[in-house]
């Protein structure tokens, strides 16, 4: 099949061809970016935290008024220590801890550096998760090298600036010291040096949306909560999580009825709640992308049907002079291929322009080339399928019938 007759035919319908080409280009640009955003969100939803999430339950505790008659020196640390001892008596509880932050549950951002005196100039931000004794064991983190915190290393929250030990993620160790074995090394904050006593395989930061690498700059700090608000985390077998959670809240309520307990849930529920907006966005983006593809396919099919009706005479002439059904079929498919190809080429440029624009407002990655390739193949396939019906009808026109329409 020669290309020149096809191009000459298309130039006779410049406006129609231009509209279809533009529609295909916009579809390519939008759908490829939608696909990239959906995959990015799906990766976030499945991002591992490093913890034994299936075995964790948690709830928060807040004091509605002083339980000791309003004295300012209420010893919350002692109260929480006694609470944890009581919680360990619940059948099914393997370990527990009082914390002030977890991945996707809050934490503290601190500026750190591997060199003394360069925190302000060369430092970067990492996430710190303070917690009391049992933090490493309860969260189920995989300790690669080093040890757990010693009892002498724990400090109350009020003295958090004096903390001297940390267990850091492997990603953070590599960023600070370019090695996994960072045990014994010092890193620095604005408050002073902290020694690394252990390295865990993985620990998600408090905001997965920051990106895969930045979000893994995380650490545990041996800090015991001593304020009026705390989060209790219990490690239990998955089958007992619901019962353990209910008994834990009931137990502490009886120990101190003046406290309010909230956010009682499994970590899986907390994760689902954290990513609720991302899940909704995935659904909306998929619906928009699929709808756009359907509209584009309908437009291509409608245009092809219109052209078949307009070209009945020329089709009949071609059939009369020897063109086969296959020739007519190939003609319409080739014509559609040229239009879609033009739209795809323009769409690739628009896709990167749209991607750069979106990157200014959202934490998105540069659009990978593979998405453009998949988008182009999808549009080519949809275009060929959309034009198949009209092309078959054109190919089925008998030469005699077409000739009578002259």
């Amino acid at each position: 099949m020669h290309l020149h007759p096809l191009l000459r035919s298309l130039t006779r319908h410049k406006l129609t061809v231009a509209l279809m080409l533009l529609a295909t280009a916009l579809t390519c640009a939008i759908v490829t970016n939608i696909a990239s955003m959906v995959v990015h969100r799906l990766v976030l939803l499945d991002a591992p935290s490093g913890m034994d999430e299936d075995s964790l339950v948690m709830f928060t505790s807040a004091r509605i008024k002083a339980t000791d008659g309003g004295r300012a020196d209420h010893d919350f640390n002692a109260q929480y220590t006694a609470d944890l001892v009581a919680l360990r008596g619940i059948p099914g509880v393997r370990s527990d801890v009082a914390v002030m932050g977890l991945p996707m549950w809050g934490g503290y951002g601190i500026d750190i550096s591997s060199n003394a005196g360069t925190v302000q100039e060369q430092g970067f931000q990492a996430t710190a998760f303070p917690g009391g004794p049992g933090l490493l064991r309860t969260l189920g983190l995989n300790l690669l090298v080093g040890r757990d915190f010693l009892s002498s290393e724990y400090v109350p929250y009020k003295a958090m600036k004096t903390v001297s030990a940390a267990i850091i993620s492997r990603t953070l160790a590599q960023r600070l010291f370019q090695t996994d074995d960072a045990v014994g090394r010092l890193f620095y904050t604005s408050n002073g040096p902290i020694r690394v006593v252990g390295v865990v395989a993985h620990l998600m930061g408090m905001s997965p949306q920051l990106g895969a690498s930045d979000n893994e700059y995380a650490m545990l700090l041996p800090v015991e909560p001593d304020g009026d608000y705390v989060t209790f985390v219990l490690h239990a077998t998955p089958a007992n999580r619901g019962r353990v959670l209910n008994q834990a809240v009931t137990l502490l309520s009886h120990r101190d009825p003046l406290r309010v307990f909230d956010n009682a849930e499994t970590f899986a529920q907390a994760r689902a709640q954290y990513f609720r907006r991302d899940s909704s966005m995935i659904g909306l983006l998929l619906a928009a992308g699929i709808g756009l593809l359907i509209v584009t396919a309908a437009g291509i099919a409608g245009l092809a049907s219109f052209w078949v009706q307009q070209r009945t005479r020329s089709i009949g002439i071609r059939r009369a002079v020897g063109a086969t059904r296959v020739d007519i079929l190939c003609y319409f498919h080739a014509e559609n291929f040229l239009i879609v190809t033009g739209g795809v080429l323009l769409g690739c440029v628009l896709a990167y322009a749209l991607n750069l624009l979106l990157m200014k407002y959202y934490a998105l990655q540069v659009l990978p080339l593979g998405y453009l390739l998949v988008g182009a193949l999808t549009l080519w396939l949809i275009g060929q399928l959309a034009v198949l019906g009209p092309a078959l009808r054109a190919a089925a026109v008998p030469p005699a019938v077409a000739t009578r329409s002259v």
Side-chain angles (χ1 to χ4, degrees):
M1 179 174 296
H2 298 288
L3 185 62
H4 181 69
L6 284 173
L7 295 175
R8 189 174 58 184
S9 174
L10 292 177
T11 55
R12 294 174 182 169
H13 308 277
K14 294 179 182 176
L15 179 60
T16 307
V17 171
L19 290 175
M20 284 309 306
L21 190 146
L22 184 59
T24 305
L26 290 176
T27 301
C28 178
I30 295 174
V31 169
T32 50
N33 276 281
I34 284 178
S36 176
M37 294 171 69
V38 167
V39 171
H40 179 66
R41 288 294 186 278
L42 288 174
V43 171
L44 283 180
L45 263 60
D46 290 333
S49 66
M51 303 186 300
D52 186 8
E53 296 184 18
D54 292 337
S55 301
L56 299 181
V57 297
M58 64 188 74
F59 59 94
T60 59
S61 169
R63 186 184 65 162
I64 56 176
K65 69 176 183 180
T67 58
D68 57 352
R71 292 197 322 233
D73 58 346
H74 181 77
D75 191 349
F76 284 100
N77 190 5
Q79 183 181 27
Y80 297 149
T81 300
D83 288 339
L84 291 171
V85 172
L87 291 173
R88 287 183 209 122
I90 298 175
V93 175
R94 295 172 175 172
S95 62
D96 54 9
V97 65
V99 302
M100 291 178 290
L102 288 174
M104 296 171 279
W105 189 267
Y108 294 82
I110 60 175
D111 293 326
I112 61 174
S113 173
S114 57
N115 299 313
T118 62
V119 175
Q120 297 297 327
E121 296 79 11
Q122 303 176 10
F124 60 95
Q125 192 168 74
T127 301
F129 297 115
L135 181 61
L136 180 69
R137 181 177 65 256
T138 302
L139 299 186
L141 296 169
N142 180 17
L143 185 65
L144 293 178
V145 292
R147 58 168 174 78
D148 198 352
F149 296 121
L150 302 176
S151 57
S152 58
E153 292 171 333
Y154 286 93
V155 298
Y157 176 70
K158 294 175 182 176
M160 183 175 170
K161 293 182 178 179
T162 66
V163 69
S164 60
I167 296 175
I168 66 177
S169 68
R170 175 164 55 183
T171 303
L172 181 56
Q174 292 172 344
R175 171 68 188 274
L176 285 169
F177 310 113
Q178 292 75 52
T179 178
D180 292 352
D181 190 5
V183 174
R185 308 284 292 270
L186 291 174
F187 65 89
Y188 299 86
T189 71
S190 57
N191 298 318
I194 297 178
R195 187 174 301 279
V196 178
V197 300
V199 178
V200 294
H202 182 74
L203 179 59
M204 176 189 288
M206 58 181 168
S207 301
Q209 289 83 353
L210 290 177
S213 58
D214 292 353
N215 186 50
E216 295 179 1
Y217 300 150
M219 69 184 79
L220 304 179
L221 295 180
V223 178
E224 295 180 292
D226 60 358
D228 59 358
Y229 185 87
V230 70
T231 299
F232 290 100
V233 183
L234 287 74
H235 190 286
T237 57
N240 294 322
R241 289 180 303 176
R243 177 184 57 79
V244 165
L245 187 59
N246 292 332
Q247 289 186 6
V249 173
T250 302
L251 175 63
L252 295 194
S253 298
H254 289 161
R255 287 175 54 84
D256 186 353
L258 296 180
R259 285 190 293 179
V260 175
F261 300 97
D262 197 8
N263 301 316
E265 56 191 353
T266 65
F267 194 86
Q269 292 171 326
R271 170 185 276 269
Q273 179 65 21
Y274 182 86
F275 286 113
R276 180 173 54 85
R277 291 185 178 179
D278 294 276
S279 300
S280 300
M281 180 179 291
I282 288 174
L284 292 174
L285 289 174
L286 286 176
I290 293 173
L292 192 56
L293 288 174
I294 292 175
V295 170
T296 302
I300 293 174
L303 177 66
S305 297
F306 175 71
W307 280 353
V308 167
Q309 293 176 355
Q310 274 197 330
R311 298 174 184 177
T312 302
R313 176 184 176 183
S314 63
I315 294 171
I317 294 174
R318 292 191 61 190
R319 292 295 309 276
V321 297
T324 64
R325 291 185 175 184
V326 175
D327 293 333
I328 301 299
L329 196 65
C330 291
Y331 178 85
F332 278 95
H333 279 287
E335 190 177 65
N336 173 267
F337 182 80
L338 287 177
I339 296 174
V340 174
T341 299
V344 166
L345 293 177
L346 178 60
C348 290
V349 178
L350 293 178
Y352 273 112
L354 180 60
N355 178 242
L356 292 176
L357 179 63
L358 292 173
M359 288 175 63
K360 291 183 179 179
Y361 302 99
Y362 305 99
L364 297 177
Q365 59 181 354
V366 177
L367 185 65
L369 185 62
Y371 286 87
L372 294 178
L373 180 60
V374 173
L377 292 174
T378 302
L379 286 170
W380 276 321
L381 178 61
I382 289 177
Q384 295 298 301
L385 292 175
V387 81
L388 180 61
L392 287 173
R393 289 197 299 273
V397 175
V401 174
T403 303
R404 283 199 297 272
S405 66
V406 176

